[in-house]
Amino acid sequence: MRDAIFPAGRHALYEKHGYSGAIRSGDLLFVSGQVGSRSDGSVEPDFARQVDQAFSNLEAVLAAAGASFDDVIDVTTFHTDPERQFDTILAAKAKAFPAAPYPAWTAVGVNWLAGFDFEIKVIARLPQTSAAPR
């Protein structure tokens, strides 16, 4: 059984492509890749705003599960032009994760993201269960 998480008002791409915003499994949250899409699923054309929108979309999915950037333990990002884009992405990353300890992070250069230029997916530990004894 999958415990699917969807943020309010963010269903255009999920429905179009048939995936969930995130899946909760025990105290872990597996968030699908978030892109810089507007609520109707269209691409934000300005790259810096596209990256900021992807982080905002990610934040909305985390919040829908009762989590925040503080709960993120692993990050994977996908970039269509890493060398040119990296400074912009690092600035957005610094806002989302301003202090150590930082999450684990893997950056992958790709040649296609369905019209987008940046995507971010994460795994988070949900706070309501993370304090429970193991």
Side-chain angles (χ1 to χ4, degrees):
M1 189 69 144
R2 294 181 188 105
D3 185 10
I5 306 294
F6 293 96
R10 291 283 310 146
H11 296 278
L13 289 178
Y14 303 133
E15 290 174 9
K16 180 179 179 181
H17 298 291
Y19 66 99
S20 299
I23 296 291
R24 179 184 359 242
S25 179
D27 65 348
L28 293 177
L29 184 70
F30 298 86
V31 181
S32 294
Q34 299 297 306
V35 292
S37 63
R38 300 170 177 145
S39 60
D40 66 356
S42 65
V43 177
E44 168 54 58
D46 177 80
F47 181 70
R49 286 196 298 256
Q50 188 180 133
V51 171
D52 287 343
Q53 185 64 53
F55 273 89
S56 292
N57 294 345
L58 172 59
E59 186 174 32
V61 175
L62 290 168
S68 72
F69 287 124
D70 291 339
D71 302 303
V72 172
I73 56 177
D74 185 67
V75 177
T76 303
T77 53
F78 304 92
H79 316 259
T80 58
D81 189 351
E83 189 173 353
R84 245 188 19 167
Q85 299 166 340
F86 217 63
D87 288 342
T88 301
I89 294 162
L90 286 178
K93 175 185 175 273
K95 284 189 250 175
F97 306 104
Y102 304 107
W105 195 292
T106 302
V108 180
V110 298
N111 61 11
W112 185 80
L113 288 171
F116 295 90
D117 292 305
F118 174 76
E119 183 172 335
I120 182 170
K121 69 181 291 337
V122 305
I123 300 170
R125 184 167 306 279
L126 295 169
Q128 60 268 33
T129 58
S130 63
R134 298 197 206 300

